[in-house]
Amino acid sequence: MIQLDLGDRRPLYMQIKEKFKELIVTGAIKEGERIPSVREMANMLAINPNTIQHAYKELEDEGFIISQRAKGSFIAPISKVQNSSNNSALYKSLMDTVAELIYRGENLDDIMATVNKIYENIRKE
Amino acid sequence: MIQLDLGDRRPLYMQIKEKFKELIVTGAIKEGERIPSVREMANMLAINPNTIQHAYKELEDEGFIISQRAKGSFIAPISKVQNSSNNSALYKSLMDTVAELIYRGENLDDIMATVNKIYENIRKE
Amino acid sequence: MIQLDLGDRRPLYMQIKEKFKELIVTGAIKEGERIPSVREMANMLAINPNTIQHAYKELEDEGFIISQRAKGSFIAPISKVQNSSNNSALYKSLMDTVAELIYRGENLDDIMATVNKIYENIRKE
Amino acid sequence: MIQLDLGDRRPLYMQIKEKFKELIVTGAIKEGERIPSVREMANMLAINPNTIQHAYKELEDEGFIISQRAKGSFIAPISKVQNSSNNSALYKSLMDTVAELIYRGENLDDIMATVNKIYENIRKE
DNA sequence: GTGGTCTAGACCACC
DNA sequence: GTGGTCTAGACCACT
């Protein structure tokens, strides 16, 4: 489900958090679905439970999951995420990434095609 | 030219590095142009020269600038950047960002329009 | 383990880096093995920790080690090194060195014998 | 004749010196031949004459060239170079380079073939 | 306790 | 004057 990359320079908890975000936003895990408990996850990845806890905490703060004591953690209703923030930081990231791709010689059509493909993949789910 | 954000959780050297990348890839600074010396920049931003040095070092490692002892630092020829790397990490970032935008309820057309606008802005220069 | 030569005109961090590379490529330290922490090494060599940090950073950039915050630094899996680079610079260095040896009157057989001996020494490990 | 690489991190004088060594040891310039004067060279490369002077000085110190006031600089007789130094540093460099090539997955036969090719190329001249 | 970031201040090699 | 190296010492984030 989640694969840690030791070469990755980001802290472990952030890798885990962002991997979960990826699974959620691409629709691989859906609204209401349960994710492994902190302890299960810690066992699976063979790392300290505190690290998982940290990741889950931030996911909850950002509205992606909801943790219920003694029951587990669940993907939050999508409506919650949509209200919870303005998306200007994401648009900023989009602009920087696209500008760099163009600078590095990538074709506008290839970029557009990639964006379209992501959209199609998500719809299909 | 560059504004530091102390509230930003990224290290200072990275803010500087990424701001320069932005200026370069959007065409605000052009191939061959000289950027401020390590000391000038340190004075302008009122931070330690070592921090600027760190930022410039990484920009050079990534192929964006060329630093020459006793002469200064200059924007690298664009051909160096285009050859020097594969763009898969950037495409990965693009996919993650777009997926999250869609998940947060953004419209595909708005995203496409943003991509197009970046392209037009860069071409105009 | 590592001996600094103050008479050497290369910077300290580079002496350290290259000594480690030597230990790694000759098999004296093996994949996955832990190397001394930045502070331990600094104490052992009686130099500033930043200098060690600099050396380790470059070893990591070149794919020889992996540094993990709060855990330590480890010899990278050899597969990472083999994929991560093209070897043309090394072949260039080989050609220059051999050409100079010949110019200085060395015998081709002696050179070949040296190459063979290195190979045997590494295989034996 | 000589091409400077601004991206190269070595000082200019050293690039020049090593390029000359390369031309000499591979036989591209021969014993007794005249090389351009400091001023000619400085004009050709559009750099400061002091930089050329520095390079020539070191070439002379190492026995590769002989400078005669008002006449110019000439490639030294090969016998001079052969006597002038022990070659242990070169063998050290050879061993390090070969060990790294092997570590990076290169084949012993390819390395041997390269060494042989250099030898043949020099003999032919 | 670990690696990473940052400061203040110094010195060096290069051009 | 420029980039690069180094020290001494501090603080932070992560596990």
Side-chain angles (χ1 to χ4, degrees):
Chain A
M1 188 173 194
I2 284 192
Q3 189 86 14
L4 293 180
D5 173 9
L6 299 179
D8 196 322
R9 296 253 266 264
R10 289 172 304 173
L12 290 180
Y13 84 89
M14 195 169 293
Q15 280 187 56
I16 295 162
K17 172 181 125 185
E18 299 199 344
K19 187 64 187 168
F20 265 113
K21 268 172 74 165
E22 199 182 314
L23 293 170
I24 296 167
V25 300
T26 59
I29 324 180
K30 294 224 165 36
E31 192 169 323
E33 220 169 299
R34 188 177 180 282
I35 61 174
S37 76
V38 169
R39 257 167 293 168
E40 285 164 0
M41 209 60 202
N43 284 336
M44 283 160 54
L45 300 178
I47 62 176
N48 194 304
N50 290 336
T51 306
I52 310 290
Q53 184 74 356
H54 192 167
Y56 280 19
K57 168 74 162 53
E58 297 217 347
L59 283 167
E60 188 165 16
D61 289 348
E62 296 181 27
F64 285 101
I65 67 171
I66 293 176
S67 294
Q68 295 180 294
R69 199 187 318 267
K71 296 182 92 177
S73 301
F74 303 86
I75 307 302
I78 199 167
S79 58
K80 256 208 154 182
V81 180
Q82 292 184 342
N83 297 332
S84 75
S85 74
N86 64 3
N87 298 342
S88 63
L90 281 171
Y91 270 115
K92 173 78 166 59
S93 162
L94 176 65
M95 292 192 300
D96 288 349
T97 305
V98 170
E100 186 168 346
L101 278 167
I102 294 168
Y103 189 76
R104 286 184 183 279
E106 288 295 316
N107 197 307
L108 179 62
D109 291 341
D110 292 344
I111 297 170
M112 289 297 209
T114 301
V115 173
N116 248 314
K117 209 178 65 186
I118 303 161
Y119 185 72
E120 297 302 333
N121 284 346
I122 295 176
R123 287 203 75 173
K124 237 185 298 183
E125 306 254 347
Chain B
M1 189 173 194
I2 283 191
Q3 192 89 17
L4 292 181
D5 173 7
L6 297 177
D8 196 323
R9 288 187 40 196
R10 289 172 305 171
L12 294 178
Y13 85 88
M14 197 168 292
Q15 288 185 48
I16 296 162
K17 172 180 119 179
E18 297 195 345
K19 187 64 186 170
F20 264 112
K21 267 171 76 164
E22 202 181 313
L23 291 171
I24 295 167
V25 298
T26 58
I29 324 180
K30 295 220 163 41
E31 189 170 324
E33 216 169 304
R34 190 176 184 281
I35 63 175
S37 81
V38 170
R39 288 166 179 77
E40 281 168 5
M41 205 66 200
N43 284 336
M44 284 161 54
L45 300 179
I47 62 175
N48 191 287
N50 286 337
T51 306
I52 308 292
Q53 174 89 340
H54 192 168
Y56 281 17
K57 170 70 159 53
E58 298 224 339
L59 283 168
E60 183 166 23
D61 286 349
E62 297 182 24
F64 288 102
I65 68 171
I66 292 177
S67 292
Q68 293 177 270
R69 188 161 19 203
K71 299 184 97 174
S73 300
F74 305 84
I75 306 302
I78 199 168
S79 59
K80 284 223 164 180
V81 181
Q82 294 186 342
N83 297 333
S84 76
S85 71
N86 63 357
N87 299 338
S88 62
L90 282 171
Y91 271 115
K92 174 80 167 59
S93 162
L94 176 66
M95 292 192 300
D96 289 350
T97 306
V98 170
E100 187 169 348
L101 278 167
I102 294 168
Y103 190 77
R104 287 182 183 280
E106 288 294 319
N107 195 308
L108 179 62
D109 291 341
D110 291 346
I111 296 171
M112 287 300 206
T114 302
V115 173
N116 247 313
K117 208 178 65 187
I118 302 160
Y119 185 71
E120 296 302 333
N121 284 345
I122 294 176
R123 283 202 80 175
K124 239 186 298 183
E125 305 255 349
Chain C
M1 189 174 195
I2 284 191
Q3 192 89 17
L4 292 180
D5 173 8
L6 297 176
D8 197 323
R9 289 187 40 195
R10 289 172 305 169
L12 294 178
Y13 84 89
M14 195 167 292
Q15 288 184 49
I16 296 162
K17 173 180 120 181
E18 298 195 345
K19 187 64 186 169
F20 265 111
K21 268 172 74 164
E22 202 181 311
L23 292 171
I24 295 167
V25 300
T26 58
I29 324 181
K30 293 222 166 37
E31 189 169 327
E33 215 168 305
R34 190 176 184 281
I35 62 176
S37 79
V38 170
R39 287 166 179 75
E40 282 167 4
M41 205 66 201
N43 283 336
M44 283 161 54
L45 300 179
I47 62 175
N48 192 286
N50 286 337
T51 306
I52 309 291
Q53 174 89 341
H54 191 168
Y56 281 17
K57 170 70 160 50
E58 298 223 339
L59 284 167
E60 183 166 25
D61 287 348
E62 296 182 26
F64 288 102
I65 68 170
I66 292 179
S67 291
Q68 293 178 268
R69 188 163 16 207
K71 299 185 98 175
S73 300
F74 304 85
I75 307 302
I78 198 168
S79 59
K80 284 223 166 182
V81 181
Q82 293 186 341
N83 296 333
S84 77
S85 72
N86 62 358
N87 298 341
S88 62
L90 282 171
Y91 270 115
K92 174 80 167 57
S93 161
L94 176 65
M95 291 192 301
D96 289 351
T97 305
V98 170
E100 187 169 347
L101 278 167
I102 295 168
Y103 190 77
R104 286 182 182 280
E106 289 295 319
N107 196 307
L108 179 62
D109 290 341
D110 292 345
I111 297 171
M112 287 300 205
T114 302
V115 173
N116 247 314
K117 208 178 62 186
I118 303 161
Y119 185 72
E120 296 302 334
N121 283 346
I122 294 177
R123 283 200 80 173
K124 241 185 297 182
E125 307 254 347
Chain D
M1 187 171 194
I2 284 192
Q3 190 85 17
L4 294 179
D5 173 9
L6 299 178
D8 195 322
R9 296 252 266 265
R10 287 172 304 173
L12 290 180
Y13 84 88
M14 195 169 295
Q15 281 187 56
I16 295 163
K17 171 182 123 183
E18 299 199 342
K19 187 64 186 167
F20 264 113
K21 268 172 74 166
E22 200 182 315
L23 293 170
I24 296 168
V25 299
T26 58
I29 325 181
K30 294 221 165 40
E31 192 170 323
E33 221 170 298
R34 189 179 179 277
I35 61 175
S37 75
V38 169
R39 256 168 291 169
E40 284 164 1
M41 209 61 200
N43 284 337
M44 282 160 55
L45 300 177
I47 62 176
N48 193 303
N50 289 337
T51 307
I52 309 291
Q53 184 73 358
H54 192 167
Y56 280 19
K57 168 74 162 52
E58 299 216 346
L59 283 168
E60 189 165 14
D61 289 348
E62 296 182 26
F64 286 101
I65 66 172
I66 293 175
S67 294
Q68 294 179 292
R69 200 188 314 269
K71 294 182 93 176
S73 301
F74 303 84
I75 307 303
I78 199 167
S79 58
K80 255 209 154 180
V81 180
Q82 293 185 341
N83 298 332
S84 74
S85 74
N86 64 2
N87 297 342
S88 64
L90 282 171
Y91 270 115
K92 173 81 166 59
S93 161
L94 176 66
M95 292 191 300
D96 288 350
T97 305
V98 170
E100 186 169 347
L101 277 167
I102 294 168
Y103 189 75
R104 287 185 183 280
E106 289 294 318
N107 197 307
L108 179 62
D109 291 340
D110 292 344
I111 296 171
M112 289 297 208
T114 302
V115 173
N116 249 314
K117 210 178 64 187
I118 303 161
Y119 185 72
E120 296 302 333
N121 283 345
I122 294 176
R123 285 202 75 168
K124 236 187 298 182
E125 305 254 350

